[in-house]
Amino acid sequence: MRENWRIKVSVVAGVSALAFSALMAAPAVADEAADSLQEVQMPAGVKIVEGLAPVAGADAPSLEPEADAPFSAAAAAKAAPAANTCLDSTAAYGSKGCFQHNGDIVWAGDTQKDGMSAAVGVYTDYGRAAEVCINKLGVNTWATCNKDYRETGNVRLRVFRYDGDTGKFYQPETWSGWIPVDGKY
């Protein structure tokens, strides 16, 4: 009888510990600000590029959360994307980024009025030095960084926040998958 009591208590304790750990380990929602900012350490030699306002009449991606769902490889295989289509869209609190294969344009969108800038890091799979495109144009704007990547390569985006006063990068952050520079999945 005493053994059954111990089993029941240990099961209840185990379930409680599991529920508590699941609650505490749940990731933050992308649109929620972190309670305290955590600095992101950047590798040495990362070039910071200030983005420019898109040219007048440019077909900019949407800053709305659901409007620019990532372009799936299956959809890309069925139809070639339009020249001005962002192939991948990635978002974290306050920032949104995407890659336009025609012209190798990196888009950095600022979605939060918090005194920080949107930052989109671009990494390649062929050894080119990483660069970060910064949007200092303000909330609800896009900035573009026009690059020239190797057509046989892939890029990966890292979206996070940038404090221009301190020159530091902050989480939350998110990464895209590998995106083909030529637009062909």
Side-chain angles (χ1 to χ4, degrees), residues 98-129:
C98 68
F99 178 76
Q100 179 181 327
H101 76 282
N102 185 27
D104 297 349
I105 299 171
V106 176
W107 292 79
D110 193 330
T111 62
Q112 289 293 324
K113 186 174 184 172
D114 60 1
M116 298 183 96
S117 300
V120 179
V122 184
Y123 301 81
T124 69
D125 64 353
Y126 59 88
R128 180 175 171 165

Short mmCIF file of all heavy atoms in Angstrom, two decimals, residues 98-129:
data_model
loop_
_atom_site.label_atom_id
_atom_site.label_comp_id
_atom_site.label_asym_id
_atom_site.label_seq_id
_atom_site.Cartn_x
_atom_site.Cartn_y
_atom_site.Cartn_z
N CYS A 98 13.92 39.83 -46.67
CA CYS A 98 13.72 38.90 -47.77
C CYS A 98 14.76 39.13 -48.84
O CYS A 98 15.46 40.16 -48.83
CB CYS A 98 12.30 38.97 -48.33
SG CYS A 98 11.89 40.48 -49.19
N PHE A 99 14.88 38.17 -49.75
CA PHE A 99 15.88 38.21 -50.82
C PHE A 99 15.18 38.18 -52.17
O PHE A 99 14.37 37.31 -52.43
CB PHE A 99 16.84 37.02 -50.71
CG PHE A 99 17.87 36.98 -51.80
CD1 PHE A 99 18.95 37.85 -51.77
CD2 PHE A 99 17.75 36.09 -52.85
CE1 PHE A 99 19.91 37.82 -52.79
CE2 PHE A 99 18.69 36.06 -53.87
CZ PHE A 99 19.78 36.92 -53.83
N GLN A 100 15.51 39.15 -53.01
CA GLN A 100 14.98 39.22 -54.37
C GLN A 100 16.08 38.78 -55.32
O GLN A 100 17.12 39.44 -55.42
CB GLN A 100 14.54 40.64 -54.68
CG GLN A 100 13.98 40.85 -56.07
CD GLN A 100 13.59 42.30 -56.29
OE1 GLN A 100 13.17 42.99 -55.38
NE2 GLN A 100 13.76 42.75 -57.52
N HIS A 101 15.88 37.66 -56.01
CA HIS A 101 16.95 37.08 -56.84
C HIS A 101 17.29 37.95 -58.04
O HIS A 101 18.44 37.98 -58.46
CB HIS A 101 16.57 35.67 -57.27
CG HIS A 101 15.56 35.60 -58.36
ND1 HIS A 101 14.22 35.79 -58.13
CD2 HIS A 101 15.69 35.39 -59.68
CE1 HIS A 101 13.56 35.69 -59.26
NE2 HIS A 101 14.43 35.44 -60.22
N ASN A 102 16.34 38.65 -58.60
CA ASN A 102 16.63 39.50 -59.75
C ASN A 102 17.26 40.80 -59.27
O ASN A 102 16.60 41.65 -58.71
CB ASN A 102 15.34 39.78 -60.54
CG ASN A 102 15.60 40.56 -61.81
OD1 ASN A 102 16.69 40.48 -62.38
ND2 ASN A 102 14.62 41.32 -62.25
N GLY A 103 18.56 40.92 -59.45
CA GLY A 103 19.28 42.09 -58.96
C GLY A 103 19.99 41.83 -57.64
O GLY A 103 20.68 42.70 -57.14
N ASP A 104 19.78 40.66 -57.06
CA ASP A 104 20.40 40.30 -55.78
C ASP A 104 20.15 41.38 -54.73
O ASP A 104 21.07 41.92 -54.13
CB ASP A 104 21.90 40.06 -55.96
CG ASP A 104 22.19 38.88 -56.88
OD1 ASP A 104 21.26 38.13 -57.21
OD2 ASP A 104 23.36 38.72 -57.26
N ILE A 105 18.88 41.68 -54.49
CA ILE A 105 18.50 42.74 -53.57
C ILE A 105 18.06 42.13 -52.24
O ILE A 105 17.21 41.24 -52.20
CB ILE A 105 17.38 43.61 -54.15
CG1 ILE A 105 17.88 44.28 -55.44
CG2 ILE A 105 16.91 44.65 -53.14
CD1 ILE A 105 16.82 45.00 -56.23
N VAL A 106 18.65 42.64 -51.17
CA VAL A 106 18.26 42.25 -49.82
C VAL A 106 17.33 43.35 -49.30
O VAL A 106 17.66 44.53 -49.35
CB VAL A 106 19.49 42.11 -48.90
CG1 VAL A 106 19.06 41.79 -47.48
CG2 VAL A 106 20.42 41.04 -49.44
N TRP A 107 16.16 42.95 -48.82
CA TRP A 107 15.19 43.89 -48.27
C TRP A 107 15.20 43.78 -46.75
O TRP A 107 15.14 42.68 -46.21
CB TRP A 107 13.79 43.57 -48.78
CG TRP A 107 13.56 43.81 -50.24
CD1 TRP A 107 13.95 43.00 -51.27
CD2 TRP A 107 12.91 44.93 -50.84
NE1 TRP A 107 13.56 43.54 -52.46
CE2 TRP A 107 12.91 44.72 -52.24
CE3 TRP A 107 12.30 46.07 -50.33
CZ2 TRP A 107 12.35 45.62 -53.12
CZ3 TRP A 107 11.73 46.97 -51.21
CH2 TRP A 107 11.76 46.75 -52.59
N ALA A 108 15.25 44.92 -46.05
CA ALA A 108 15.19 44.95 -44.59
C ALA A 108 14.02 45.84 -44.18
O ALA A 108 14.00 47.03 -44.48
CB ALA A 108 16.49 45.50 -44.01
N GLY A 109 13.04 45.26 -43.52
CA GLY A 109 11.84 45.99 -43.12
C GLY A 109 11.79 46.19 -41.62
O GLY A 109 12.04 45.27 -40.85
N ASP A 110 11.47 47.41 -41.19
CA ASP A 110 11.34 47.74 -39.77
C ASP A 110 9.86 47.74 -39.42
O ASP A 110 9.08 48.51 -40.00
CB ASP A 110 11.96 49.11 -39.48
CG ASP A 110 12.15 49.38 -38.00
OD1 ASP A 110 11.36 48.86 -37.19
OD2 ASP A 110 13.08 50.11 -37.66
N THR A 111 9.46 46.88 -38.49
CA THR A 111 8.04 46.74 -38.16
C THR A 111 7.66 47.19 -36.75
O THR A 111 6.52 47.06 -36.37
CB THR A 111 7.60 45.26 -38.33
OG1 THR A 111 8.34 44.45 -37.42
CG2 THR A 111 7.83 44.79 -39.77
N GLN A 112 8.62 47.72 -35.97
CA GLN A 112 8.31 48.16 -34.61
C GLN A 112 8.90 49.54 -34.32
O GLN A 112 10.05 49.80 -34.66
CB GLN A 112 8.89 47.18 -33.57
CG GLN A 112 8.19 45.85 -33.52
CD GLN A 112 6.77 45.95 -33.01
OE1 GLN A 112 6.47 46.75 -32.13
NE2 GLN A 112 5.89 45.15 -33.56
N LYS A 113 8.12 50.37 -33.68
CA LYS A 113 8.60 51.69 -33.25
C LYS A 113 9.21 51.51 -31.86
O LYS A 113 8.53 51.62 -30.85
CB LYS A 113 7.45 52.69 -33.22
CG LYS A 113 7.91 54.10 -32.94
CD LYS A 113 6.78 55.09 -33.05
CE LYS A 113 7.35 56.48 -32.85
NZ LYS A 113 6.34 57.49 -33.13
N ASP A 114 10.52 51.22 -31.84
CA ASP A 114 11.19 50.96 -30.57
C ASP A 114 12.56 51.61 -30.50
O ASP A 114 13.36 51.31 -29.61
CB ASP A 114 11.29 49.46 -30.33
CG ASP A 114 12.08 48.73 -31.41
OD1 ASP A 114 12.57 49.39 -32.35
OD2 ASP A 114 12.21 47.50 -31.32
N GLY A 115 12.88 52.50 -31.44
CA GLY A 115 14.17 53.18 -31.43
C GLY A 115 15.31 52.36 -32.00
O GLY A 115 16.45 52.80 -32.01
N MET A 116 15.01 51.15 -32.47
CA MET A 116 16.04 50.29 -33.05
C MET A 116 15.77 50.13 -34.54
O MET A 116 14.69 50.47 -35.03
CB MET A 116 16.07 48.94 -32.36
CG MET A 116 16.42 49.06 -30.88
SD MET A 116 16.52 47.46 -30.10
CE MET A 116 18.27 47.23 -30.22
N SER A 117 16.73 49.61 -35.25
CA SER A 117 16.62 49.41 -36.69
C SER A 117 16.52 47.94 -37.02
O SER A 117 17.02 47.09 -36.28
CB SER A 117 17.86 49.99 -37.39
OG SER A 117 18.00 51.36 -37.14
N ALA A 118 15.90 47.66 -38.16
CA ALA A 118 15.88 46.29 -38.67
C ALA A 118 17.26 45.97 -39.23
O ALA A 118 17.93 46.82 -39.80
CB ALA A 118 14.83 46.16 -39.77
N ALA A 119 17.68 44.73 -39.05
CA ALA A 119 18.97 44.27 -39.56
C ALA A 119 18.79 42.91 -40.22
O ALA A 119 18.13 42.04 -39.65
CB ALA A 119 19.99 44.17 -38.43
N VAL A 120 19.36 42.78 -41.42
CA VAL A 120 19.29 41.51 -42.14
C VAL A 120 20.70 41.11 -42.53
O VAL A 120 21.32 41.75 -43.38
CB VAL A 120 18.39 41.61 -43.39
CG1 VAL A 120 18.35 40.27 -44.13
CG2 VAL A 120 16.98 42.04 -43.01
N GLY A 121 21.22 40.07 -41.89
CA GLY A 121 22.53 39.55 -42.22
C GLY A 121 22.42 38.62 -43.41
O GLY A 121 21.43 37.91 -43.56
N VAL A 122 23.42 38.64 -44.28
CA VAL A 122 23.43 37.78 -45.46
C VAL A 122 24.71 36.94 -45.44
O VAL A 122 25.81 37.48 -45.37
CB VAL A 122 23.36 38.61 -46.75
CG1 VAL A 122 23.25 37.68 -47.96
CG2 VAL A 122 22.19 39.57 -46.72
N TYR A 123 24.54 35.64 -45.49
CA TYR A 123 25.64 34.69 -45.46
C TYR A 123 25.58 33.86 -46.74
O TYR A 123 24.48 33.57 -47.23
CB TYR A 123 25.52 33.78 -44.23
CG TYR A 123 25.55 34.56 -42.94
CD1 TYR A 123 24.40 35.20 -42.45
CD2 TYR A 123 26.72 34.69 -42.21
CE1 TYR A 123 24.44 35.94 -41.28
CE2 TYR A 123 26.76 35.42 -41.03
CZ TYR A 123 25.62 36.05 -40.58
OH TYR A 123 25.65 36.78 -39.42
N THR A 124 26.71 33.48 -47.28
CA THR A 124 26.75 32.66 -48.49
C THR A 124 27.28 31.27 -48.17
O THR A 124 27.90 31.05 -47.13
CB THR A 124 27.65 33.29 -49.57
OG1 THR A 124 29.02 33.21 -49.14
CG2 THR A 124 27.27 34.73 -49.87
N ASP A 125 27.05 30.35 -49.11
CA ASP A 125 27.58 29.00 -48.95
C ASP A 125 28.89 28.81 -49.70
O ASP A 125 29.38 27.70 -49.83
CB ASP A 125 26.55 27.96 -49.41
CG ASP A 125 26.22 28.04 -50.89
OD1 ASP A 125 26.67 29.00 -51.58
OD2 ASP A 125 25.48 27.16 -51.38
N TYR A 126 29.48 29.91 -50.18
CA TYR A 126 30.73 29.79 -50.92
C TYR A 126 31.86 30.65 -50.36
O TYR A 126 32.86 30.88 -51.03
CB TYR A 126 30.52 30.08 -52.41
CG TYR A 126 29.96 31.45 -52.74
CD1 TYR A 126 30.79 32.55 -52.94
CD2 TYR A 126 28.59 31.64 -52.87
CE1 TYR A 126 30.28 33.79 -53.25
CE2 TYR A 126 28.08 32.88 -53.18
CZ TYR A 126 28.92 33.96 -53.39
OH TYR A 126 28.39 35.18 -53.70
N GLY A 127 31.71 31.11 -49.12
CA GLY A 127 32.82 31.76 -48.44
C GLY A 127 32.91 33.27 -48.54
O GLY A 127 33.85 33.85 -48.01
N ARG A 128 31.98 33.94 -49.19
CA ARG A 128 32.00 35.39 -49.24
C ARG A 128 31.77 35.93 -47.83
O ARG A 128 30.98 35.37 -47.06
CB ARG A 128 30.91 35.89 -50.19
CG ARG A 128 30.86 37.40 -50.30
CD ARG A 128 29.86 37.82 -51.33
NE ARG A 128 29.63 39.25 -51.31
CZ ARG A 128 29.04 39.90 -52.27
NH1 ARG A 128 28.61 39.26 -53.35
NH2 ARG A 128 28.85 41.19 -52.18
N ALA A 129 32.45 37.02 -47.48
CA ALA A 129 32.30 37.60 -46.15
C ALA A 129 30.85 38.01 -45.90
O ALA A 129 30.17 38.52 -46.80
CB ALA A 129 33.22 38.81 -46.01
#
